[in-house]
């Protein structure tokens, strides 16, 4: 069973950057797609980015495309989300998640949350002046 722990959240001014990390334990994630989702106060959780288990394909929500970069290090069983040019509307709790099925196909659309389990506990990102 994979256990995921996010870190790297914090408070930054608009235009700032943060790098979120997701560390996996219990089982290697090298054969699992990894994704980031976020939930803003009073809103539903939404998809942010996903990376193929081999790391060569990524897909982003339109709202973060060109500003966020998802990556992974399969040797360290970690996933990352580099967030640049942050905006106040990026304020949310950010969650990483592992796809349930190994060796999954690449995603060219926002994947349903139901395809992912487990989830981390989340890390707070606040963008405010």
């Amino acid at each position: 069973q994979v256990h995921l722990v996010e870190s790297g959240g914090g408070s930054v001014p608009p235009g700032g950057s943060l790098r979120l990390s997701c560390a996996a334990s219990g089982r290697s994630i090298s054969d699992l797609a990894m994704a980031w989702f976020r939930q803003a106060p009073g809103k539903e959780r939404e998809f942010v980015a996903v990376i193929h288990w081999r790391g060569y394909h990524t897909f982003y929500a339109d709202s973060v495309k060109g500003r966020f970069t998802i990556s992974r290090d399969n040797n360290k069983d970690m996933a990352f989300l580099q967030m640049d040019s942050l905006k106040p509307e990026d304020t949310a709790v950010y969650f990483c998640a592992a796809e349930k099925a190994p060796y999954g196909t690449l995603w060219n659309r926002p994947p349903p949350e139901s395809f992912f389990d487990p989830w981390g506990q989340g890390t707070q990102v606040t963008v405010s002046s």
Side-chain angles (χ1 to χ4, degrees), residues 7-103:
S7 61
S11 182
V12 295
S17 297
L18 282 173
R19 188 187 193 218
L20 305 184
S21 298
C22 175
S25 61
R27 176 201 184 284
S28 174
I29 58 169
S30 60
D31 58 354
L32 302 174
M34 296 296 295
W36 289 91
F37 292 78
R38 67 185 182 185
Q39 187 167 21
K43 294 188 176 181
E44 297 287 317
R45 188 159 56 188
E46 64 176 3
F47 165 77
V48 175
V50 62
I51 186 167
H52 188 263
W53 59 274
R54 284 186 173 174
Y56 66 81
H57 181 79
T58 58
F59 183 80
Y60 297 91
D62 287 344
S63 58
V64 306
K65 198 174 299 181
R67 300 187 298 120
F68 290 12
T69 303
I70 188 172
S71 61
R72 66 189 299 156
D73 184 338
N74 283 347
N75 290 325
K76 297 182 178 179
D77 283 323
M78 295 191 71
F80 306 96
L81 186 68
Q82 177 67 41
M83 305 185 296
D84 298 317
S85 302
L86 282 161
K87 304 176 182 180
E89 51 264 44
D90 295 318
T91 295
V93 177
Y94 284 71
F95 301 88
C96 69
E99 190 168 13
K100 292 178 184 177
Y103 308 117

Side-chain angles (χ1 to χ4, degrees), residues 106-124:
L106 54 84
W107 290 98
N108 282 319
R109 60 178 175 86
E113 291 186 21
S114 60
F115 277 70
F116 290 84
D117 182 71
W119 296 71
Q121 83 290 346
T123 186
Q124 177 70 46

